[in-house]
Amino acid sequence: MKQVLVIYYTQSGQLREIAQQVALPLEKSESVAVTFYEIVLEKPFPFPWDKDSFFDAFPESFLQIPTALKPVPSEILNRKYDLILFHYQVWYLSPSIPINSFLKSPEASILLRDTPVVTISGSRNMWVMAHEKVKVLLRENGAKLKGNIALVDRVGNLISVITIVEWMFSGVKKKYLGIFPLPGVSEKDIKESEKFGGIILKNLNEDTLDQLQGEMVAAGAVKISPYLVTVDKTANKIFNKWSNFIKSRKNSRKAWLKVFYIYLFLAIWLISPIVYILHVFTYPLKRNKIKKETQYYQGV
């Protein structure tokens, strides 16, 4: 019987839903035994978030500074797995602090070494550069990345800023003001993610995981927005400067986080629309480059 480990961290419950849905076909199979493991912090982050805590997590999130986790249960740690489904979310364009902390832990090295892995992310929209960081950490742990699924909020960039922030600060997933769409990955996309579990099961049973990603991309597992890739790359350069600067300002950290908040507000509502307009006008000149990037980011 094939042994599959499902790893995830969640605050709102969204990633747990995704993990359960993707794993459904494997759980129903008589040839697979599925084990779930939820990453738990020694000192959990609040949910719903308050504004100070939300922005205070920025430097450590982007700089990928780990925090303490509760130990992985021995019955999970001491078993060898045929496949790991690794679920993560994005905080400030990097894998979330709990996910990053796990990937930098000794337990991760034990579980991931020489083990096939499929990464599954649930994010607002920008996940590409965070996934590149996850790939580095997987390689350092000796994992064998075989597939990737990227589930995102499908509404427009600026609308999703409003709805996600409302959700994170209220803790309630609802239509803001009764007129905005529901925040996060849609219920339809979460429910339909079961199809990816079916593809994973087939390739796991047939020992053809090397061809898994091609089949999943054909089924819609990874969609690339060239505009968001450009924003993601640019914002990573800017966030790198901001995070290092704020991290070094121990006595004035709170004050500089407030300045960063103002900058972020202006960047989202003023700069990003300008970047979009420039992207539209320069797209014909970058068509070949965008095609190559799309193929790369859809792969593993």
Side-chain angles (χ1 to χ4, degrees):
M1 181 174 283
K2 302 281 189 180
Q3 297 289 330
V4 175
L5 178 63
V6 179
I7 299 175
Y8 69 96
Y9 167 79
T10 189
Q11 285 181 299
S12 67
Q14 176 177 267
L15 215 51
R16 183 186 296 110
E17 287 184 59
I18 292 170
Q20 292 170 338
Q21 202 66 26
V22 173
L24 265 181
L26 293 97
E27 288 190 285
K28 293 177 181 177
S29 173
E30 295 181 355
S31 64
V32 178
V34 179
T35 303
F36 286 82
Y37 166 60
E38 180 178 0
I39 296 168
V40 180
L41 281 72
E42 286 284 0
K43 185 180 179 182
F45 287 99
F47 190 80
W49 288 89
D50 59 81
K51 185 176 176 181
D52 288 344
S53 297
F54 185 81
F55 286 101
D56 190 60
F58 162 63
E60 286 73 19
S61 293
F62 185 81
L63 296 173
Q64 297 181 259
I65 297 171
T67 191
L69 304 176
K70 291 191 174 180
V72 179
S74 58
E75 62 268 24
I76 291 176
L77 194 61
N78 296 329
R79 187 182 302 163
K80 180 61 181 173
Y81 297 93
D82 298 286
L83 178 66
I84 291 177
L85 304 183
F86 188 79
H87 300 72
Y88 72 95
Q89 60 280 102
V90 179
W91 290 5
Y92 293 105
L93 309 181
S94 290
S96 69
I97 290 176
I99 292 298
N100 178 66
S101 301
F102 172 79
L103 287 173
K104 292 186 175 181
S105 70
E107 289 90 344
S109 182
I110 293 170
L111 288 169
L112 294 169
R113 188 157 303 280
D114 298 323
T115 304
V117 174
V118 174
T119 49
I120 300 127
S121 60
S123 63
R124 185 173 74 86
N125 54 21
M126 282 186 279
W127 58 270
V128 166
M129 297 310 294
H131 187 59
E132 290 299 297
K133 297 170 188 179
V134 168
K135 285 162 66 175
V136 169
L137 293 172
L138 289 174
R139 283 196 299 269
E140 290 177 352
N141 281 303
K144 299 176 180 178
L145 183 58
K146 298 297 182 180
N148 178 47
I149 301 167
L151 300 176
V152 300
D153 189 330
R154 291 180 180 270
V155 305
N157 184 41
L158 297 181
I159 296 296
S160 67
V161 170
I162 297 171
T163 58
I164 292 290
V165 168
E166 169 62 21
W167 182 20
M168 293 300 100
F169 287 173
S170 72
V172 181
K173 190 174 185 178
K174 63 182 179 180
K175 290 187 175 183
Y176 181 51
L177 300 179
I179 57 173
F180 284 87
L182 283 172
V185 179
S186 71
E187 291 301 317
K188 180 176 183 291
D189 283 348
I190 292 176
K191 186 175 181 180
E192 291 182 354
S193 65
E194 181 181 349
K195 67 184 176 183
F196 302 126
I199 297 171
I200 292 168
L201 174 63
K202 178 180 77 72
N203 284 276
L204 178 63
N205 284 334
E206 296 175 359
D207 294 320
T208 54
L209 288 174
D210 285 339
Q211 68 184 41
L212 171 64
Q213 186 61 9
E215 293 183 26
M216 291 209 297
V217 169
V222 182
K223 298 184 184 298
I224 302 296
S225 164
Y227 158 65
L228 290 176
V229 170
T230 300
V231 175
D232 200 346
K233 288 181 175 180
T234 303
N236 261 268
K237 295 176 183 177
I238 296 170
F239 275 20
N240 183 54
K241 294 179 180 178
W242 268 110
S243 58
N244 278 292
F245 178 80
I246 293 172
K247 183 66 177 172
S248 68
R249 296 300 185 271
K250 295 182 180 180
N251 295 329
S252 55
R253 177 180 173 117
K254 288 186 178 181
W256 281 108
L257 282 169
K258 290 179 181 178
V259 176
F260 172 71
Y261 164 74
I262 296 170
Y263 163 78
L264 195 60
F265 180 87
L266 293 174
I268 290 171
W269 294 102
L270 294 179
I271 299 175
S272 66
I274 295 172
V275 172
Y276 179 75
I277 293 170
L278 291 174
H279 169 76
V280 170
F281 279 106
T282 59
Y283 179 84
L285 302 176
K286 301 185 293 184
R287 190 171 296 165
N288 290 334
K289 180 184 177 182
I290 288 171
K291 184 178 179 181
K292 290 179 181 178
E293 282 190 344
T294 299
Q295 291 175 340
Y296 171 76
Y297 291 126
Q298 285 184 324
V300 292

